[in-house]
Structure formats: C-alpha cells, structure tokens
C-alpha cells in the first residue's frame, strides 16, 4: 500500500506550489481537468487503484528497481560512495513507465478509450504506447520532427507497439512543440481521450499526479539506502528537463532536511550559449498551462533551447521544482553537452552501464560532487534511463556512422 | 477613453443592430505596416469591431493557420511595443472598438498592471486572454475594469451553467462563446445545437454573447448573427493573407484582398 505523505498541503486546491503552478488553459480544457482531478482524488484514496498499479509495477515493470553500489565508479572518483537507482532496468528502459501505467489505469477508470502523449527522447512515448498496448487503448504520440530524426529507434518501437507517431513540424520541432500539439488534440477530443502528460508539468492536477506516480522511486530508494548504509544519503542527484524522475526521487526525501536534493539541468553548449537550463537561467512565466520558470524573452515569447539530449530540451520546468528552487529545498546545477558525453562514456567503462544522455547529466554532476563529499559521503544518483536509444546520436557526435 | 461620459466603444458596438462581424487579425502578419493599413481599411467596412491577436510562440488554442501567421509575425520581428505603437497611430482614425487577443505569457512578462496601462493608453478597448482560466483571472479583471477595458472571457460548450455564471461575473463587454470543442480554424458546418447553447448562455448570464471558432463564410456569419450578438472570423481571414502571399501578391494587393473578403463577410 502506498504511503500517504505528510506534505499534502503542497499543492493547494488551486494547484499552487507557492507562486508556481495553477492552470492556464483555454476554457475548452477546464472540464477535462476538473474530471481528471475528481477521478484522481477518488483513485488516490481507493486501495483497489494502488493494488492494481502495484501489481503491474511488480510483475510487469520489474519493481522494485535495484539500488546498486557503483564500486568502480566510486573508487575512480575517490570520494563518496555512489549508489545508482536503477530505473534503467525497468521494462521499456526508463522511469517513464511508472507514470504511464498509473495514468492508463486512471484513463480506464474515466472510461476513456484513447490516450495521447508528447515525447522528446521517445522514452515517454514508448512507455505510453506500452501502457496502451497492455490495456488495449488507442494511442497517438506527438513528437517534434527534429526528435523523430534523433530518435529513430524509439519511433519504430512506438509503431511496433501499435501507436501512431505524429511528427510535429511547428515551432522548434522539439518537445515544446510536441506538447502544444498534444494539447491541441486534447482540446478537440476531451470527451473520449486522456492526455498522458510525461512529466511533472502542465496544468493542475498533472504536476501532482505525475509526482505521486513517480514517487515510488524515492520511497524504494529511502528503504534501500537505509538497509545498505543504515543512514540517509548526503545527496540525491537527478537530471531535470520537465523534472519527473527528479521529483519522483526527491519527494520522499523532502522532509529529510539533511539530504541535499540536487537537480542537474542541461547547460548545452554552455550557459552563455545555447542551453536548456530553465531554473538556472529562466524567469517566472507561463508555459503549457502552468506558471513556472521559463526561458523566455522580454516579450514573454518562449526561447529556443538546446541540449544534446532530446529529453532535456525543454524551456520550462515542473512548478514544484521552481518552488523547491525558490525555497532553497533543492539545489539546481547544470552540466554541458560535453560533460554529459564524458559521463556517458565513463559509466559505460567503469560500470558496464550505458545511461541515457539525459541521465548522463546527473552522472556528470556526480563526477564533480563525489570528491568534494569525501570518502564518508553517500550519494544516490537516479539512473533514470538506459542509453541504447542514444547510441546512433552519440556515434554521430563522435564522428561515426552506424548501420546503413 | 478620451471622454469619460461617452458610451464605451464595445458596449456601443454590441448594442448596434443587427449584430455583426468582428474580424480577427494577427498583428504583424504579414508585417506591422500591413496590419496598420488593414486596420485603416476596416474603418470603411461595416464591421462591429476588430480582434487584434498578439503573436505568441506557443498558441495552444490555435489551429495551423493562425499558428503559421504568428510564427511568421515573430520571425519578422514583431514586438509587443510595435503593436501598441501601431494601434496608437490608427486609434483616432477608426471608430470601431479594438480588442487585444493576447496570451497570458505576454501579459505576465510585462506585468498585469503595466500591460493593462499600456493597452489602455495605446487605445485598446478590451482584452481577451484565451489561456487565462477563471480561477487565475481576478487580478486582470480588476485591473482592466479600473482602466476602462472590457475583459471578455471564454465560455466553452463543456462549461457547466454554474461556472458560466461565475465567469460572467468577472467578464466585461461580451462573453466569447467557443462554438466548437477544438482549436481555431475553418469548419465545414457549425454545430447544430449552437443556437440553443448561445441563447442559453445569454439568458443565464445576461451578457452579450459573441461566437468564435470555426466561422468562415458569409452564411455562417449570417446564421450566427441571427441568434448571437456578433460573430468572430479569424482563420478564414488570416488564410486570405496566406493565400495572397503565396500567389506573390504585394502588400497593397494583400490588403485589398483581405478588405474584399471581410466586406463579403459583413452581414
């Protein structure tokens, strides 16, 4: 049975996390948000919902995911003991499945036979298509045309799973534009369609819903690290694009004041060049139905962003992260494309684990932090996804061409 | 308002009979200069008012035609300040009301109070912020009312009656009834129950109701104006600009073709 948290005052009934969150959508969507809010409020206190979800998480996803002591990486960096929370070992290869199964069960409870999703790197699209297949729902995934190019393998996986992948040609042709298009679909189809948002973002109740569904990561981690070390870690690290894997592992540690929660954003080519470090460089604004920190210009127009990893290539961030940044509860740092690529290779060679490029940003910060904390320190890195999907892109960046 | 005793332009337009057309234009498409010329030309047509869209990078309520116009306008360098300046230049030359259709991101970046003040001093008569839901709207509603700007709020086919009443309480001028569950853009036919919905909203809220989304032909406008207090046509007009540009028309020809189409739409 899922533990009920003591932090339920956040968000408030309007979906506010301090100054962030809320609902900024056309009136056409409000009834769907109210319906979802009511359905989730009912599911949240219904043991049957959690029993069903937990059975899928155990028997289908393979949870709990291991917490692995990375001894060779630890000794290479010469500092804190490093544990990896192996979300990459989940079915479909990332943390995204924790959320999509929960939302698919909710969609079924609401009587909706069709689910739609946006995807950046393709992991959330694959996880949504997977949930659709296992529950027999129709599925459409919106994906920026630029990301379709970068993530061909995941596009094919989604199609194999029976989903229709729609390349989005508007705007910058990446994740932000895919979300716009998914919202437009939903505005026209709310009666029979549920929008499975892939991160802790969007209008209330999505940030709360996705955080709750991903919190299984942090709850397991807390038990596992206590079992392994008989104490809590000094720091928990996770990469942040929209921020769902970070919110999932941070949330159960929020009230453990001695645990540093560190989100790692994508600094791209560097913070003074093209990047997508929203918390580091963004300012308060509205995007995709939420008030949050946004990379935008002086007119409120969303700015072009860049990251080597398609999943972090996002100009906004979940409102709870903006809130945690504003209160100082979590710290947000960044890693560049080059640092992430180096960390990607380091983890391959020291541990035999090929991380997603998104995840490699968290590993890159671990490389800096572990020596600082010293040998008595303990770090947990959320290894949010595996990197098979990135091999073609990494090879291209390294000057190699794979396959035909 | 230069004269505080004069009737508000929006109220006056809504009172004039028969109800008529409110064309939507994307500011800066194809250029801010062209928008200015089109606004002047509209002064000689029997429209009721103009809805002027501020181009936005992420317009989630808009279909492909208006998205494309906004993308083009932003790429051409259209800034919020340019729109205010342009409206200030035409304001005294046309009698019809001008309503700003603007995303909340743009309003919040400038700050609610300063956006309202700049809109008022530029000569806008009202505001529509399509992604500002009822729950987030009180601050803007208060500010707009204090400045004499009418804040039109959206009502959707899925809005329950109890919520319609709360929206109406906050709104000024007219309620913007979204005719279809979807984004902006042309539809072959209007929903069969549109008339019933519009009359129900008007009866329950006591506010004038103007209908938008999916209205694209003179027949649609005539039909809607038979039971509503006005009809907004957006994508169909913007598409005239896109089509004209694609045939290589120069700016004067674009203006002419748009004016001719709007004239045809006027009931």
């Amino acid at each position: 049975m899922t533990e009920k948290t003591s932090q339920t005052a956040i968000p408030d009934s309007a979906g506010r996390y301090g100054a962030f969150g809320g609902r900024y959508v056309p009136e056409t969507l409000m009834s769907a948000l109210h319906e979802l809010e009511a359905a989730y409020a009912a599911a949240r206190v219904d043991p049957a919902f959690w029993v069903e979800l937990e059975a899928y998480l155990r028997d289908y996803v393979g949870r709990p995911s291991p917490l692995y002591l990375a001894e060779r990486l630890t000794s290479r960096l010469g500092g804190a003991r490093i544990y990896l929370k192996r979300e990459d070992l989940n079915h479909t290869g990332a943390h995204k499945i924790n959320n999509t199964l929960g939302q698919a069960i909710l969609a079924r409870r609401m009587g909706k036979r069709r689910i739609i999703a946006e995807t950046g790197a393709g992991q959330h699209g694959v996880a949504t298509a997977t949930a659709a297949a296992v529950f027999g729902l129709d599925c459409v995934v919106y994906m920026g045309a630029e990301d379709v190019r970068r993530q061909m393998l995941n596009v094919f996986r989604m199609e194999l799973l029976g989903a229709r992948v729609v390349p989005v040609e508007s705007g910058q042709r990446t994740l932000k534009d895919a979300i716009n298009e998914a919202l437009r679909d939903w505005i026209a189809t709310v009666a029979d369609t549920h929008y499975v948002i892939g991160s802790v973002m969007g209008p209330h109740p999505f940030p709360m819903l996705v955080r709750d569904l991903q919190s299984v990561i942090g709850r397991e981690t807390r038990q596992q690290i206590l079992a392994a070390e008989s104490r809590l870690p000094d720091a928990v690290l996770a990469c942040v694009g929209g921020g769902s894997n970070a919110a999932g592992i941070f949330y159960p540690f929020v009230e453990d004041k001695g645990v540093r929660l560190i989100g790692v954003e994508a600094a791209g080519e560097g913070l003074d060049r093209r990047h997508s470090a929203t918390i580091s460089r963004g300012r308060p604004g509205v995007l995709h139905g939420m008030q949050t920190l946004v990379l935008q210009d002086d007119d409120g127009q969303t700015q072009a962003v860049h990251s080597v990893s398609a999943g972090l290539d996002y100009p906004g961030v979940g409102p709870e992260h903006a809130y945690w940044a504003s209160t100082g509860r979590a710290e947000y740092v960044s890693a560049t494309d080059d640092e992430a690529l180096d960390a990607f290779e380091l983890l391959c060679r020291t541990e035999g684990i090929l991380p997603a490029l998104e995840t490699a940003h968290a590993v890159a910060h671990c490389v800096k932090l572990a020596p600082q904390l010293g040998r008595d320190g303990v770090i947990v890195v959320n290894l949010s996804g595996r990197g098979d999907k990135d091999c073609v892109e990494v090879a291209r960046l390294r000057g190699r061409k794979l396959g035909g | 308002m230069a004269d505080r005793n004069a009737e508000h332009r929006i109220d006056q337009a809504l009172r004039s009979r028969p109800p008529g057309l409110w064309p939507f234009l994307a500011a800066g498409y194809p250029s801010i200069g062209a928008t200015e010329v089109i606004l002047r030309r509209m002064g000689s047509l029997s429209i009721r008012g103009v809805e002027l869209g501020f181009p936005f990078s992420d317009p989630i309520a808009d279909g492909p035609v208006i998205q494309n116009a906004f993308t083009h306008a932003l790429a051409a360098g259209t800034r919020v300040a340019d729109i205010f300046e342009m409206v200030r230049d035409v304001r005294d030359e046309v009698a019809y009301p001008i309503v700003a259709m603007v995303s909340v991101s743009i309003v919040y970046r400038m700050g609610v109070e300063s956006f309202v003040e700049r809109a008022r001093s530029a000569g806008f008569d009202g505001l529509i912020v399509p992604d500002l839901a009822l729950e987030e709207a009180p601050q803007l509603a208060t500010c707009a009312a204090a400045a004499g700007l009418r804040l039109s709020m959206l009502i959707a086919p899925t809005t329950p009656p109890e919520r319609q009443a709360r929206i109406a309480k906050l709104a000024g001028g007219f309620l913007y009834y979204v005719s279809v569950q979807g984004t902006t853009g042309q539809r072959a036919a209007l929903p069969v129950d549109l008339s019933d919905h519009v009359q129900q909203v008007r009866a329950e809220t006591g506010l004038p109701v103007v209908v938008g989304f999916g209205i694209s032909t003179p027949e649609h406008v005539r039909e809607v104006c038979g039971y509503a207090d006005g009809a907004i046509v957006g994508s169909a007009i913007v598409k005239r600009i896109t089509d004209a540009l694609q045939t290589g028309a120069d700016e004067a020809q674009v203006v002419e073709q748009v004016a001719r189409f709007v004239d045809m739409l006027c009931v």
Side-chain angles (χ1 to χ4, degrees):
Chain A
M1 183 63 212
T2 300
E3 117 198 11
K4 294 292 176 290
T5 68
S6 58
Q7 299 136 12
T8 45
I10 296 291
D12 68 14
S13 62
R16 286 268 162 201
Y17 305 79
F20 304 104
R23 281 182 180 134
Y24 296 86
V25 294
E27 179 62 18
T28 345
L29 277 183
M30 287 303 292
S31 66
L33 294 176
H34 287 139
E35 180 188 6
L36 176 62
E37 188 179 17
Y40 180 50
R44 207 179 190 190
V45 295
D46 179 359
F49 172 76
W50 297 106
V51 166
E52 180 176 18
L53 176 58
E54 281 165 20
Y56 275 98
L57 292 178
R58 182 186 64 236
D59 303 333
Y60 185 71
V61 176
R63 301 205 72 91
S65 65
L67 185 71
Y68 163 73
L69 173 60
E71 291 191 50
R72 291 231 315 138
L73 180 65
T74 297
S75 86
R76 170 72 73 92
L77 298 177
R81 282 189 302 288
I82 299 162
Y83 286 85
L84 305 176
K85 178 60 175 167
R86 299 292 308 275
E87 293 297 301
D88 61 316
L89 294 178
N90 292 342
H91 178 47
T92 73
H95 69 292
K96 296 292 190 185
I97 191 84
N98 304 327
N99 170 42
T100 60
L101 288 173
Q103 289 205 47
I105 293 172
L106 254 175
R108 211 187 44 190
R109 284 171 72 105
M110 290 187 288
K112 304 205 171 183
R113 302 296 311 163
R114 176 176 180 264
I115 57 177
I116 58 171
E118 84 293 343
T119 196
Q123 289 304 103
H124 175 58
V126 166
T128 305
T130 299
V134 77
F135 289 110
L137 305 171
D138 289 337
C139 180
V140 174
V141 178
Y142 292 93
M143 187 168 188
E146 171 64 14
D147 293 334
V148 168
R149 181 193 68 74
R150 287 196 283 192
Q151 303 287 348
M152 294 291 281
L153 179 61
N154 273 343
V155 173
F156 187 60
R157 285 172 77 193
M158 287 183 266
E159 289 170 352
L160 284 175
L161 291 161
R164 189 161 66 85
V165 179
V166 180
V168 176
E169 299 283 352
S170 62
Q172 220 192 326
R173 316 195 316 159
T174 61
L175 178 56
K176 162 183 92 76
D177 311 291
I179 296 168
N180 289 339
E181 215 48 47
L183 284 166
R184 290 178 187 124
D185 178 315
W186 201 33
I187 288 172
T189 59
V190 286
D192 69 346
T193 298
H194 174 63
Y195 178 14
V196 181
I197 282 189
S199 193
V200 286
M201 45 146 295
H204 181 64
F206 281 113
M208 175 180 77
L209 168 62
V210 178
R211 174 202 71 194
D212 289 353
L213 293 171
Q214 291 292 2
S215 290
V216 64
I217 306 172
R219 284 195 304 273
E220 287 175 4
T221 302
R222 209 168 176 287
Q223 288 176 2
Q224 289 166 323
I225 196 73
L226 285 171
E229 290 280 341
S230 302
R231 70 166 178 104
L232 293 174
D234 297 291
V236 176
L237 268 58
C239 64
V240 176
S244 71
N245 89 80
I249 198 166
F250 288 179
Y251 188 62
F253 290 100
V254 163
E255 302 209 327
D256 300 313
K257 300 300 180 202
V259 179
R260 290 171 66 187
L261 305 176
I262 305 175
V264 187
E265 300 191 301
E269 296 167 349
L271 290 181
D272 297 321
R273 301 178 66 187
R274 297 190 307 150
H275 63 84
S276 50
T278 308
I279 295 180
S280 307
R281 290 298 168 95
R283 39 190 183 173
V286 175
L287 179 66
H288 295 144
M290 59 182 163
Q291 193 162 12
T292 185
L293 294 169
V294 184
L295 291 167
Q296 59 173 212
D297 71 11
D298 293 340
D299 276 356
Q301 310 289 354
T302 311
Q303 283 172 323
V305 292
H306 163 81
S307 169
V308 68
S309 63
L312 300 184
D313 212 343
Y314 182 58
V317 69
E320 195 159 20
H321 286 295
Y323 171 70
W324 286 334
S326 75
T327 62
R329 179 59 194 97
E331 306 159 50
Y332 295 86
V333 298
S334 59
T336 63
D337 288 351
D338 288 343
E339 288 168 336
L341 285 165
D342 288 348
F344 176 90
E345 292 183 354
L346 176 68
L347 199 65
C348 287
R349 291 181 189 180
T350 55
E351 296 291 348
I353 295 172
L354 204 159
L357 278 177
E358 291 77 13
T359 312
H361 288 73
V363 178
H365 189 70
C366 182
V367 170
K368 298 176 198 170
L369 185 66
Q372 289 170 19
L373 291 185
R375 291 176 189 278
D376 294 333
V378 173
I379 296 175
V380 173
V381 178
N382 193 7
L383 210 78
S384 53
R386 70 179 188 218
D388 308 55
K389 69 184 176 60
D390 294 311
C391 286
V392 172
E393 184 68 2
V394 171
R396 190 183 70 83
L397 291 166
R398 294 295 195 224
R400 291 266 305 275
K401 186 167 167 33
L402 303 183
Chain B
M1 302 277 96
D3 178 357
R4 290 197 169 268
N5 294 320
E7 186 180 16
H8 195 283
R9 282 194 200 93
I10 290 180
D11 301 342
Q12 196 179 7
L14 290 167
R15 211 168 33 75
S16 60
R17 284 293 174 265
L21 178 72
W22 295 68
F24 166 94
L25 297 167
Y29 184 62
S31 70
I32 200 81
T35 306
E36 181 173 348
V37 178
I38 295 172
L39 288 178
R40 287 206 169 85
R41 274 300 304 274
M42 295 291 132
S44 64
L45 305 177
S46 57
I47 61 166
R48 292 293 178 263
V50 163
E51 228 190 278
L52 190 61
F54 283 55
F56 179 51
S57 53
D58 298 274
I60 55 175
D62 283 307
V65 172
I66 292 174
Q67 283 176 49
N68 169 64
F70 281 173
T71 301
H72 185 291
L74 291 174
T78 307
R79 304 295 307 264
V80 171
D82 302 332
I83 300 170
F84 286 138
E85 194 181 327
M86 183 270 291
V87 168
R88 188 174 296 113
D89 288 345
V90 299
R91 177 65 280 179
D92 291 337
E93 298 170 37
V94 295
Y96 59 74
I98 305 178
V99 179
M101 171 77 112
V102 56
S103 277
V104 63
S105 174
I106 296 171
V107 177
Y108 277 23
R109 171 92 330 269
M110 189 169 281
V112 167
E113 287 182 15
S114 62
F115 186 90
V116 165
E117 174 48 31
R118 290 183 66 179
R120 186 204 59 81
S121 76
F124 279 102
D125 303 285
L127 299 172
I128 303 170
V129 186
D131 49 358
L132 189 69
L134 166 68
E135 289 73 9
E136 309 291 350
Q139 189 200 359
L140 181 63
T142 306
C143 252
L149 294 181
R150 300 283 188 259
L151 177 66
S152 287
M153 302 275 295
L154 269 56
I155 301 272
T158 47
T159 307
E162 161 282 322
R163 186 174 170 83
Q164 287 175 13
R166 286 189 290 134
I167 291 173
K169 209 173 264 180
L170 214 61
F174 59 86
L175 290 172
Y176 186 137
Y177 187 80
V178 178
S179 71
V180 289
Q181 201 58 39
T183 52
T184 58
Q186 302 182 36
R187 307 288 197 283
L190 299 173
V192 286
D193 52 1
L194 182 57
S195 161
D196 291 347
H197 277 149
V198 168
Q199 290 176 58
Q200 177 264 329
V201 172
R202 194 171 35 199
E204 294 202 7
T205 64
L207 283 179
V209 177
V210 174
V211 179
F213 283 51
I215 303 175
S216 60
T217 67
E219 293 71 31
H220 289 164
V221 174
R222 234 185 327 266
E223 180 193 325
V224 166
C225 288
Y227 45 76
D229 298 283
I232 296 166
V233 177
S235 294
I237 294 172
V238 174
K239 187 167 183 301
R240 281 299 187 286
I241 299 180
T242 306
D243 291 348
L245 292 170
Q246 272 169 4
T247 61
D250 64 21
E251 218 159 86
Q253 290 167 321
V254 169
V255 172
E256 202 41 53
Q257 290 182 35
V258 169
R260 217 177 306 144
F261 182 62
V262 171
D263 189 37
M264 195 177 78
L265 289 172
C266 288
V267 285

